[in-house]
Amino acid sequence: RFTFSDLPAGVVTLEAFEAATNTAASAQATVVADQTVTQDLNLTVGGSVAGTVRSGGVPVSGAQVTLSASNGSFTATTGADGRYQIDRIVPGNLAVLAVDPASGLRGRATGSLGLSGQTVTLDIALAATGTVRGTVFRAGGATPAAGVQVSINRNLSGLPATITSDGQGRYSFDLVPLGAFTIDVADAATGDRGRA
């Protein structure tokens, strides 16, 4: 049980955190003059991810936001102010993708939620992007090169800049900003390299 006395009238936020179980709770209550208000708190695992989606510095309303976390995938739509918030996210690594259906612009941000009850802010800047994909071939151009490192020098923040080609030598980079880019390939087993 807990009690707070002599609070001013108005809306207050109560928050609780238990380190031993990494659980937290929060709730709002309205304090009324000369009255006692009861507000229970239920500890749960999870925190919140919030932010603003912008294009050219201007908030984007109606953008579709997809959050990938260790406890699943969650979606939200930005409000008139370009803001989104997704609650009950288990602590761990996060990746947020935003798409503006009207313009087709996309953006991505990554981060980490450390504690239940914490709110992580991940703002997203939208940009015109495309996908770069291809196949890596061994010298001679006939045999696909599987399991080699493929790097790109131009991608959105938070995305892997180096990946490994698949069993057929294929690779793919998403959310590549428009403009020139360089692809570098390195095979650690043979020492062979390539660039496009």
Side-chain angles (χ1 to χ4, degrees):
R1 297 183 62 82
F2 60 89
T3 302
F4 293 98
S5 302
D6 299 323
L7 295 176
V11 178
V12 298
T13 300
L14 299 168
E15 295 179 335
F17 175 71
E18 184 181 44
T21 59
N22 194 16
T23 55
S26 66
Q28 287 191 330
T30 302
V31 177
V32 180
D34 300 323
Q35 291 187 19
T36 299
V37 176
T38 299
Q39 178 62 59
D40 294 333
L41 297 171
N42 294 315
L43 294 169
T44 60
V45 175
S48 299
V49 179
T52 303
V53 177
R54 293 184 176 89
S55 176
V58 177
V60 177
S61 65
Q64 302 301 310
V65 178
T66 303
L67 168 66
S68 296
S70 57
N71 63 324
S73 181
F74 306 87
T75 59
T77 303
T78 58
D81 58 357
R83 292 192 52 76
Y84 72 92
Q85 180 165 329
I86 301 172
D87 299 318
R88 299 188 185 274
I89 303 303
V90 170
N93 292 329
L94 311 166
V96 182
L97 171 69
V99 179
D100 179 9
S103 67
L105 299 179
R106 297 170 165 257
R108 181 180 158 117
T110 60
S112 179
L113 180 66
L115 297 171
S116 292
Q118 180 183 23
T119 297
V120 174
T121 300
L122 293 178
D123 293 333
I124 304 169
L126 300 182
T129 62
T131 299
V132 175
R133 64 173 57 119
T135 303
V136 180
F137 292 96
R138 301 235 175 256
T143 305
V148 299
Q149 298 296 302
V150 183
S151 301
I152 190 167
N153 70 335
R154 182 179 177 89
N155 66 339
L156 290 181
S157 174
L159 290 174
T162 301
I163 59 175
T164 302
S165 63
D166 70 10
Q168 287 78 45
R170 296 174 301 200
Y171 68 89
S172 180
F173 292 99
D174 293 326
L175 299 174
V176 179
L178 302 185
F181 60 88
T182 302
I183 298 288
D184 285 298
V185 181
D187 186 348
T190 64
D192 291 344
R193 295 181 169 276
R195 173 173 279 186

